[in-house]
Amino acid sequence: MKKFFLVVLITILCSLSLFASSTSSEENDEFFNEILISDIPVIYGDDNFRERILARTEGKRDPIGLVLTGGSARACAHIGVLKYLDEIGVEPDFIVSNSMGSIIGMLYAAGVKPDKIEELLAAGDISSYFSLTLPTTGGFLSPSGFKTLVDYIVGKDLRVEDTEIPIMIVCDDLVSKREVRITEGPFSDVLIGSFALPVYFSPYQYNGHLLIDGGVISLAPINAAYDYTDTVILSTTFYDADTINLINPVTILNSSFDIGKRQNASRDLKKYSSLILIRCDVEKFSFMAFNSASEMAEIGYNSAKKEESKLSTLYKSEKKESENNEIIASRINDTKNNLKYFGRLKSSTPSTLLGVNFVAMNSNLSPRYLKNSMTTGFEYRLLISDFDMSLIFGLGSNSQNLSSSELFTTVGANISYYPFSFVRAKLEGYVDFLRPKSAFDPFINLRESIDAYLYKDDEISVIANQSIEYANDYSAQGSGRGIIFSLRAQCEYKMENNHFGCDVGYLLIGDSIVFENPRNYMEVSLKDEYNFTPSIYVSGFVRGRFSIDGKGSVPVFVSDNFTSNTLLYGASALKTNSSVYNLFADATFGYKFKNAPTFGEFLILDNLSTAAYFSSLTNKENGFMFSLGLEVKTDLSLIGLITLPTTFRVGYEGGHNNENHITASISFTSEF
């Protein structure tokens, strides 16, 4: 009996062991199967893609495939390559691209000519297309503005499978860890997904996939092109860093990713000996140097021309003019005007954004005279056709003078209306709470303004501005309520080495909303910047503000840019004083850095310059005041897409009642 039970027990244990082994084996098989198919791409629209290619060749010749690599802004070199191909009559029968190369490739496939793509990218600040947003879906930047732009240019109903030239976009899937090739779907959506660089942008959801920028894995998707032809042109922006910054972990991380990409590219280049390689030498440009799009396009053109002997043997097509050429050209011209005047995009469909914004006290076109605080916080933004509306909640700071800065809670709102591309009507308001010096009394700022470009081209611009602003500033020194009406005309003239500007303004200031105790002022400003070399410059600025009714009380505003520890600005400066004039003078002698310092190409110090400055203020009440020291100017740039012009000054102040101080200030220029 014991032997019987022993045999049964052994049998049961063996069965369990076999079952476990079987289960484990099945799990292992499933796991390894998932690993083994990782290099097999998922393709959407393959049959239709092949049929479209066949229709172009009629089966009489080998199709011409064009591969466009990524490289961020360096991908602008592809524009020049396309220009040269158009010039010699070579039109690709299909395009394969990834990353930023997809922007160029998809616009070209949709019928946008290379010169128009160049115009579009060079028309305005690329940051106009993107917004800083909350990373609720995995990215810090929202490309909604760029999507709005693409929808407006090519039409919001366009699909990838309907483009004039068949195109395939190569991405990678975070879920399956496989390559995903897309030849169908909503055009602008797929385009946004093509450059969804992790951390910067949210992954793009497509057919159950979470797609990211295909350039993370592959420098050039050559394999995809050779699945459809043996005639492939590869336009590359391969780059190589001379040095690696071991202090910067982001740089090291990016360089680590490059190892895999380069090894994959090496294997592909060795595998396909028939490849026509166009090497665009654009390494010297920053990866977000979109302002150099035209220069990189020229390099791309010359790089393609070097391969003339190979390219000239390819089939020459009789390219027909697209029916949409005139429509697209008109939309691009309209976009260029909108960007040139106010840096905005025209929204064909309502769009919203929840993100982060920063509002400075100095705007580029119409300085806020009474408001002297900065605002940063969460923003809700709504764009509808010619309207742009925003709500912002966060913190405010009057940190122009670092020695007396303070923080407080603030809420702001504005609405802008653009009846024409060169005219803007704007209403805005801010309410500040819990300011340290005002206890529970709020500070209220309300402003109406109309800005108009009377004339503008590459050399001359004339801007007119009218505004009414009310400020209710409770301070420890007493009430500083004020209302100001202003008219201002500004003219700028740009020459090769010289940038000259002047403006004339009229100010009417009262102590209440009905202009009690009105005072009338006139102001005149002159400025000039001369560049001895591309790096060395000198600039000067003079402004006079005068009482034209003899009542005095000439105010000083933050927008006057005089650095002082003792001077009151804005509404607080409207209290009675004896001055009937203020004379400002500012001079700098400085050096502009050729290359923008970067922190892992995440935070970029664009247009960096350092200079010695001298700033002075002369009036009847305070006599002669001056400040001298060093300044640093830069456009703080988040990966080249979000920019904030910033000036930091530190120096010595003197002349006022023989009071001498070390002074430090920071100022920003932005527009809400």
Side-chain angles (χ1 to χ4, degrees):
M1 184 64 69
K2 291 182 179 179
K3 291 182 178 179
F4 174 77
F5 282 113
L6 182 60
V7 170
V8 171
L9 179 60
I10 292 173
T11 302
I12 293 173
L13 292 174
C14 289
S15 300
L16 291 174
S17 176
L18 290 171
F19 176 77
S21 177
S22 175
T23 303
S24 176
S25 178
E26 291 176 0
E27 291 178 349
N28 287 337
D29 289 344
E30 183 179 354
F31 172 76
F32 283 110
N33 285 336
E34 290 182 0
I35 296 293
L36 293 174
I37 64 171
S38 296
D39 64 338
I40 302 175
V42 180
I43 307 174
Y44 289 96
D46 180 62
D47 291 340
N48 181 57
F49 191 66
R50 292 181 182 276
E51 290 176 4
R52 294 179 67 197
I53 297 173
L54 182 62
R56 293 178 62 87
T57 64
E58 299 179 345
K60 298 178 179 179
R61 59 181 176 83
D62 195 37
I64 301 173
L66 174 64
V67 178
L68 303 178
T69 68
S72 298
R74 301 181 183 104
C76 293
H78 300 320
I79 298 172
V81 174
L82 293 172
K83 282 184 179 181
Y84 183 75
L85 294 179
D86 277 359
E87 186 177 295
I88 63 175
V90 174
E91 181 180 87
D93 295 302
F94 69 93
I95 299 172
V96 177
S97 64
N98 65 358
S99 194
M100 286 291 186
S102 299
I103 296 177
I104 311 300
M106 291 187 71
L107 290 175
Y108 182 73
V112 186
K113 292 185 174 183
D115 60 333
K116 293 299 179 182
I117 299 175
E118 182 181 342
E119 286 182 20
L120 192 61
L121 294 178
D125 187 353
I126 196 69
S127 64
S128 305
Y129 307 145
F130 302 91
S131 301
L132 191 63
T133 187
L134 300 178
T136 56
T137 55
F140 287 96
L141 294 172
S142 168
S144 60
F146 190 78
K147 184 179 185 303
T148 297
L149 171 69
V150 174
D151 283 340
Y152 181 68
I153 298 300
V154 303
K156 62 181 179 180
D157 296 325
L158 180 66
R159 296 182 62 83
V160 177
E161 61 265 36
D162 297 328
T163 56
E164 294 184 8
I165 300 174
I167 186 167
M168 171 182 287
I169 305 303
V170 180
C171 303
D172 289 293
D173 181 23
L174 284 176
V175 179
S176 66
K177 311 299 188 292
R178 295 169 69 181
E179 182 179 271
V180 180
R181 302 174 182 176
I182 303 173
T183 66
E184 59 185 17
F187 185 91
S188 61
D189 289 345
V190 174
L191 179 55
I192 296 303
S194 70
F195 61 83
L197 190 63
V199 180
Y200 301 115
F201 300 102
S202 301
Y204 169 59
Q205 298 186 33
Y206 181 89
N207 286 355
H209 302 282
L210 282 178
L211 301 182
I212 62 172
D213 187 327
V216 172
I217 304 299
S218 175
L219 281 174
I222 308 172
N223 282 323
Y226 273 99
D227 286 346
Y228 303 91
T229 186
D230 290 322
T231 304
V232 176
I233 306 169
L234 171 62
S235 177
T236 80
T237 58
F238 293 167
Y239 62 93
D240 190 17
D242 295 331
T243 60
I244 297 177
N245 183 1
L246 296 177
I247 300 177
N248 193 327
V250 180
T251 301
I252 295 175
L253 182 63
N254 291 337
S255 297
S256 301
F257 288 144
D258 283 344
I259 295 174
K261 293 193 289 184
R262 284 178 179 276
Q263 291 177 358
N264 291 334
S266 175
R267 285 191 290 267
D268 290 341
L269 290 173
K270 293 175 182 177
K271 181 178 179 182
Y272 303 108
S273 58
S274 63
L275 186 71
I276 301 176
L277 176 62
I278 300 174
R279 168 74 165 86
C280 302
D281 187 11
V282 288
E283 296 175 271
K284 67 178 182 179
F285 297 95
S286 166
F287 87 129
M288 293 307 280
F290 285 96
N291 57 339
S292 302
S294 297
E295 188 176 352
M296 286 186 284
E298 184 177 357
I299 293 174
Y301 178 91
N302 293 329
S303 299
K305 195 173 183 178
K306 291 179 181 178
E307 305 301 325
E308 181 180 7
S309 60
K310 297 178 181 179
L311 295 172
S312 60
T313 63
L314 300 178
Y315 175 79
K316 309 295 192 301
S317 64
E318 296 182 3
K319 188 175 181 180
K320 299 179 180 179
E321 290 291 325
S322 171
E323 297 179 357
N324 294 326
N325 279 347
E326 291 187 6
I327 297 174
I328 290 174
S330 175
R331 290 172 177 173
I332 289 177
N333 187 63
D334 187 29
T335 299
K336 286 169 58 181
N337 286 334
N338 288 333
L339 290 171
K340 178 173 66 175
Y341 294 130
F342 296 103
R344 71 181 186 94
L345 295 168
K346 188 171 183 177
S347 179
S348 55
T349 56
S351 62
T352 60
L353 173 72
L354 180 62
V356 180
N357 201 356
F358 188 97
V359 188
M361 75 287 287
N362 294 336
S363 73
N364 292 315
L365 299 182
S366 49
R368 296 175 175 87
Y369 288 103
L370 299 184
K371 179 177 171 62
N372 63 354
S373 61
M374 297 170 289
T375 300
T376 185
F378 300 115
E379 177 195 34
Y380 174 80
R381 190 174 184 186
L382 173 64
L383 288 85
I384 304 177
S385 186
D386 294 320
F387 289 89
D388 187 349
M389 292 166 279
S390 295
L391 295 172
I392 187 169
F393 174 82
L395 294 176
S397 173
N398 60 349
S399 59
Q400 170 84 359
N401 184 337
L402 297 181
S403 65
S404 61
S405 63
E406 57 183 25
L407 294 175
F408 41 84
T409 306
T410 188
V411 177
N414 88 64
I415 179 171
S416 296
Y417 172 57
Y418 303 87
F420 309 99
S421 60
F422 56 89
V423 175
R424 175 182 64 186
K426 190 174 185 180
L427 295 174
E428 58 190 319
Y430 298 88
V431 181
D432 299 338
F433 302 94
L434 303 177
R435 301 186 82 168
K437 295 180 180 179
S438 60
F440 296 101
D441 293 324
F443 169 71
I444 301 172
N445 181 273
L446 303 172
R447 191 169 189 273
E448 167 275 334
S449 64
I450 297 176
D451 303 293
Y453 279 84
L454 302 181
Y455 175 79
K456 185 173 178 74
D457 59 24
D458 292 336
E459 293 184 345
I460 301 175
S461 64
V462 180
I463 306 168
N465 166 257
Q466 172 274 317
S467 67
I468 299 177
E469 182 181 3
Y470 172 76
N472 179 23
D473 186 5
Y474 294 91
S475 66
Q477 294 83 7
S479 176
R481 300 181 186 90
I483 187 169
I484 183 171
F485 170 83
S486 71
L487 291 173
R488 180 168 171 261
Q490 174 185 337
C491 176
E492 292 190 1
Y493 179 45
K494 295 182 179 179
M495 295 166 280
E496 184 176 357
N497 297 317
N498 204 21
H499 185 185
F500 175 79
C502 65
D503 63 74
V504 178
Y506 165 76
L507 307 176
L508 172 62
I509 295 178
D511 292 337
S512 69
I513 199 167
V514 293
F515 285 96
E516 293 179 341
N517 186 26
R519 286 94 72 195
N520 295 269
Y521 310 98
M522 182 69 68
E523 63 177 28
V524 180
S525 302
L526 297 173
K527 65 177 182 180
D528 188 54
E529 180 178 308
Y530 184 81
N531 297 281
F532 297 100
T533 70
S535 297
I536 301 174
Y537 71 95
V538 60
S539 65
F541 168 82
V542 178
R543 171 175 289 157
R545 184 173 298 119
F546 312 91
S547 172
I548 58 178
D549 55 16
K551 294 183 178 181
S553 304
V554 180
V556 177
F557 305 114
V558 170
S559 55
D560 294 320
N561 293 322
F562 178 69
T563 304
S564 173
N565 286 345
T566 59
L567 206 59
L568 295 173
Y569 297 93
S572 299
L574 298 182
K575 291 181 283 297
T576 301
N577 63 71
S578 59
S579 297
V580 294
Y581 67 89
N582 284 324
L583 295 176
F584 302 91
D586 192 285
T588 58
F589 179 79
Y591 178 84
K592 298 178 181 179
F593 292 88
K594 185 177 181 180
N595 298 317
T598 175
F599 299 90
E601 296 195 327
F602 185 84
L603 181 64
I604 304 172
L605 305 183
D606 275 332
N607 301 319
L608 178 65
S609 68
T610 182
Y613 78 88
F614 175 82
S615 180
S616 69
L617 166 63
T618 305
N619 59 31
K620 181 179 178 181
E621 182 169 305
N622 299 318
F624 178 76
M625 303 175 61
F626 72 90
S627 176
L628 55 86
L630 298 175
E631 75 170 21
V632 176
K633 286 186 173 182
T634 186
D635 294 337
L636 292 178
S637 175
L638 183 61
I639 69 165
L641 299 180
I642 305 296
T643 59
L644 183 64
T646 305
T647 301
F648 178 78
R649 281 183 167 182
V650 59
Y652 175 83
E653 174 193 356
H656 175 64
N657 295 329
N658 294 320
E659 295 180 4
N660 303 312
H661 306 275
I662 298 296
T663 180
S665 68
I666 186 169
S667 60
F668 304 93
T669 302
S670 73
E671 191 119 17
F672 192 3

